[in-house]
Amino acid sequence: MDPVPGGDSALLDPALICAVDLGGTFTKMALVDAAGGVLAEDRVPTYLSAREVGDDGSGSRDWLAAEMARFVDASLPALPGRAVTGFGVVVPGIVDRGVVVAAANIGWYGMPLAAGLSERLGLPGGVDHDVRASGRAEWQLGAGRGVQNLMFVPLGTGIAAALVVDGRLLRADGYAGELGHIPVPSAGDTRCACGATGCLEIVASAAGVERTFARLTGRTMTTPADKVAGLARSGAPAAVKAFTLAGTALSEALLTALTLLGPEVIVIGGGLSGAADLILPTVEDYLTAHLAFQRRPRLAVAEFGSRAGVVGAALVGRELIAAAR
Amino acid sequence: MDPVPGGDSALLDPALICAVDLGGTFTKMALVDAAGGVLAEDRVPTYLSAREVGDDGSGSRDWLAAEMARFVDASLPALPGRAVTGFGVVVPGIVDRGVVVAAANIGWYGMPLAAGLSERLGLPGGVDHDVRASGRAEWQLGAGRGVQNLMFVPLGTGIAAALVVDGRLLRADGYAGELGHIPVPSAGDTRCACGATGCLEIVASAAGVERTFARLTGRTMTTPADKVAGLARSGAPAAVKAFTLAGTALSEALLTALTLLGPEVIVIGGGLSGAADLILPTVEDYLTAHLAFQRRPRLAVAEFGSRAGVVGAALVGRELIAAAR
């Protein structure tokens, strides 16, 4: 990964952050420099103690601290002159000032994660929501550099958004940004996992594209979204249709969100951003047809890809350490 | 109007702001104290020089400065011990750091209003968007006191919103908050003045209620919204239906907006807030039926009513003067 702005001073800064993107299945770890460069990385299966031994999630926390220590010890010898000065962890859930209020996939409810890791690792650090932190990475170092108003929309298994307005990431106690669960006409009356009907993510997430394709082709086995994308590029009608539906639904949601929030840039990320060539033309056409007085945003594809989480985690850690000084 | 928090120190502060709510038809002026109390007020027809003499709007600016000076001179003698230390003006349009970027109703485009008034009045002061400033009044002194996340939604001739997230009013260079122009299913395919179709304000504004009632009763003359409200309270089916449609459309828009922004309180203002008894029950029922994981906001009716603009203007002026110190 090329170094990005932050410039010479960032390259001379020897301090690294042990950055962690904790998922319900895999945990990604990286040592990240001040410019967002990833100097070492690893991926391990996530240990879900709440599911396996039925505890309060403290087993997962202790496992995570041990994995982070192991990763740092294994990686630093290859990076002479460097030191790890802090950590940043991002999780899929509601986070409030270092405490994981609720992360159902991990089994954490009211877990004081930042304090627990700090104590076990002997390092300062911060914890935040994964999508918000990934959005921070794209905004500060990636595809949305230099603007004050941005929406980062990762299209993965589900859909959420990180919202930047007036140069600040919106939080609202962890409730901001649930773009995947705003109702759009194109999603029809299908019921969403959240309990509501017609949510954006029913048709515009990677899982949504897979569902639409299976429905249109009558298959019972789902075809991975990247395979559906390949079929769409070779002109298979059902695959094209699945992506057109995803793009139209996304357009409907973005039109509403941008009317409320006025972004200069909308950055599309997540697994489905690899199929941006199949989605963004639909969105551009829709905006041309429907924008009235609103500011027209530039549409961009995320630069950090699957690394946005760890790069964002590093920014979270670094900001928290700077604020504590 | 009762004094509101700000407390004893506010009551002892002799400084008053000359606060102006400039509309396309009428201009409201008030002398407002530090607690948001209105100690004098006046209302005059707005002079639209761009329309009448075809100028660049400078005639309206000079007229406004003269009206403000006249109002202050006429009001101060009745307020011994008080002094006017600054001004605040709110306008229906896009405002960026004291400059009215675009206010079509007044005929101002790129008008440096704060600087122009300051020079003519010999006072410091600020200018802001009318809805955002009214929202500030309800948030800091009115129905939304004490929260960090709020939506203020005035239902008038049109609909806009002031959005407070994490204790800050969102701006996005003046583009934030156009709630009236998000599409909702209940508005159908009707074309809006903005050029798009299905916008919230087509059915949920005061003008929208009047349109629906006229359509349902086959009348060519429109009945004022407050008259329609009276008919609805006495059970007239078409009037009830017009308010139910307005309430449902508003619910659809609010569900989307709160899913993105997580407000703790939604304050309904504007002329139609006098019919809150006919609208809010529909919204409460809708939220009960449709909320999943979202935070449920408290619904409140604006406390400042038609004075929210001047009280907000005073806050704008006061904040700007404090920041300049």
Side-chain angles (χ1 to χ4, degrees):
Chain A
M1 178 161 299
D2 293 331
V4 278
D8 294 341
S9 66
L11 297 175
L12 294 171
D13 181 351
L16 300 176
I17 299 292
C18 177
V20 176
D21 180 357
L22 187 75
T25 309
F26 286 103
T27 296
K28 295 175 207 159
M29 296 183 290
L31 297 187
V32 181
D33 70 17
V38 173
L39 305 192
E41 56 188 329
D42 197 3
R43 195 177 86 143
V44 294
T46 302
Y47 173 61
L48 300 170
S49 64
R51 195 167 304 162
E52 296 189 10
V53 301
D55 72 358
D56 62 352
S58 56
S60 290
R61 176 200 57 202
D62 296 343
W63 164 84
L64 179 61
E67 279 295 320
M68 289 167 71
R70 180 198 59 73
F71 170 63
V72 169
D73 289 345
S75 307
L76 269 188
L79 299 165
R82 298 290 195 156
V84 172
T85 56
F87 67 86
V89 176
V90 300
V91 301
I94 296 173
V95 179
D96 189 20
R97 281 159 292 184
V99 176
V100 181
V101 177
N105 294 345
I106 317 294
W108 283 340
Y109 297 91
M111 167 67 69
L113 188 64
L117 292 177
S118 222
E119 192 188 315
R120 283 160 183 79
L121 296 169
L123 288 171
V127 176
D128 204 350
H129 181 246
D130 56 357
V131 171
R132 194 173 301 120
S134 300
R136 182 190 288 272
E138 293 294 343
W139 170 41
Q140 295 185 344
L141 299 170
R145 284 191 300 278
V147 304
Q148 298 290 302
N149 302 281
L150 169 148
M151 294 178 47
F152 170 66
V153 182
L155 309 172
T157 308
I159 297 177
L163 307 172
V164 176
V165 181
D166 302 331
R168 291 173 177 269
L169 268 161
L170 305 189
R171 301 186 160 274
D173 307 317
Y175 287 97
E178 294 290 353
L179 185 76
H181 297 284
I182 71 174
V184 293
S186 291
D189 287 334
T190 310
R191 188 161 290 275
C192 178
C194 81
T197 56
C199 295
L200 171 66
E201 73 174 42
I202 294 169
V203 294
S205 61
V209 167
E210 294 166 4
R211 259 192 306 271
T212 305
F213 184 72
R215 178 170 56 77
L216 293 174
T217 56
R219 299 185 191 187
T220 45
M221 291 279 288
T222 56
T223 309
D226 56 349
K227 288 238 163 61
V228 181
L231 291 167
R233 287 188 194 101
S234 65
V240 170
K241 220 165 169 176
F243 273 99
T244 303
L245 179 63
T248 304
L250 181 62
S251 305
E252 293 163 351
L254 292 180
L255 178 63
T256 292
L258 73 84
T259 299
L260 286 174
L261 298 172
E264 298 157 80
V265 182
I266 297 176
V267 179
I268 303 297
L272 215 55
S273 66
D277 58 311
L278 299 167
I279 296 171
L280 293 190
T282 304
V283 179
E284 294 281 12
D285 289 350
Y286 189 94
L287 294 185
T288 299
H290 288 86
L291 283 183
F293 58 90
Q294 299 95 329
R295 169 156 69 181
R296 182 167 190 143
R298 177 167 64 84
L299 302 180
V301 178
E303 289 182 9
F304 286 110
S306 62
R307 277 170 165 169
V310 291
V311 174
L315 289 174
V316 167
R318 212 170 280 277
E319 184 180 76
L320 194 125
I321 293 164
R325 273 201 193 110
Chain B
M1 180 163 296
D2 291 334
V4 280
D8 294 342
S9 65
L11 297 177
L12 295 172
D13 181 350
L16 300 176
I17 300 291
C18 177
V20 176
D21 181 355
L22 186 74
T25 308
F26 285 102
T27 295
K28 295 176 206 158
M29 296 185 287
L31 297 186
V32 182
D33 70 17
V38 172
L39 305 193
E41 56 189 330
D42 197 4
R43 195 177 88 142
V44 294
T46 301
Y47 172 61
L48 299 171
S49 64
R51 196 168 301 162
E52 297 188 10
V53 300
D55 72 359
D56 62 352
S58 56
S60 291
R61 176 201 57 203
D62 295 342
W63 165 83
L64 179 60
E67 280 295 320
M68 288 167 72
R70 181 198 59 73
F71 170 63
V72 169
D73 289 345
S75 306
L76 269 186
L79 299 165
R82 298 290 195 155
V84 172
T85 57
F87 67 85
V89 176
V90 300
V91 301
I94 298 174
V95 179
D96 189 20
R97 283 159 289 184
V99 176
V100 181
V101 177
N105 293 347
I106 317 292
W108 283 340
Y109 297 92
M111 168 66 69
L113 188 64
L117 292 178
S118 224
E119 193 188 313
R120 282 160 183 77
L121 296 170
L123 288 172
V127 176
D128 205 349
H129 181 246
D130 56 356
V131 172
R132 193 173 304 116
S134 301
R136 180 191 289 272
E138 292 295 341
W139 170 41
Q140 295 185 345
L141 299 170
R145 285 192 299 278
V147 304
Q148 297 290 303
N149 303 282
L150 169 148
M151 293 176 49
F152 169 66
V153 182
L155 308 174
T157 307
I159 299 177
L163 308 172
V164 176
V165 181
D166 303 332
R168 290 172 177 270
L169 266 162
L170 306 189
R171 297 186 163 273
D173 306 317
Y175 288 98
E178 294 290 353
L179 184 76
H181 297 283
I182 72 174
V184 294
S186 291
D189 287 333
T190 309
R191 187 161 292 274
C192 177
C194 80
T197 56
C199 295
L200 171 67
E201 72 176 41
I202 295 169
V203 294
S205 61
V209 166
E210 293 166 5
R211 261 192 305 270
T212 305
F213 184 71
R215 178 171 56 78
L216 292 174
T217 54
R219 299 187 190 186
T220 45
M221 291 280 288
T222 55
T223 310
D226 57 349
K227 289 240 162 62
V228 181
L231 291 167
R233 288 188 193 100
S234 65
V240 170
K241 222 165 169 177
F243 274 99
T244 303
L245 180 63
T248 304
L250 181 63
S251 305
E252 292 164 349
L254 293 179
L255 178 64
T256 292
L258 72 85
T259 300
L260 286 173
L261 298 173
E264 299 156 78
V265 181
I266 296 176
V267 179
I268 303 297
L272 216 55
S273 66
D277 58 311
L278 298 168
I279 296 172
L280 294 190
T282 304
V283 179
E284 294 281 12
D285 288 352
Y286 189 94
L287 294 183
T288 299
H290 289 86
L291 283 182
F293 58 90
Q294 298 96 329
R295 168 156 68 181
R296 182 167 191 143
R298 176 167 65 81
L299 302 181
V301 178
E303 289 182 7
F304 286 110
S306 60
R307 278 171 165 170
V310 291
V311 175
L315 290 172
V316 167
R318 212 170 278 279
E319 186 181 73
L320 193 126
I321 293 163
R325 272 200 193 113

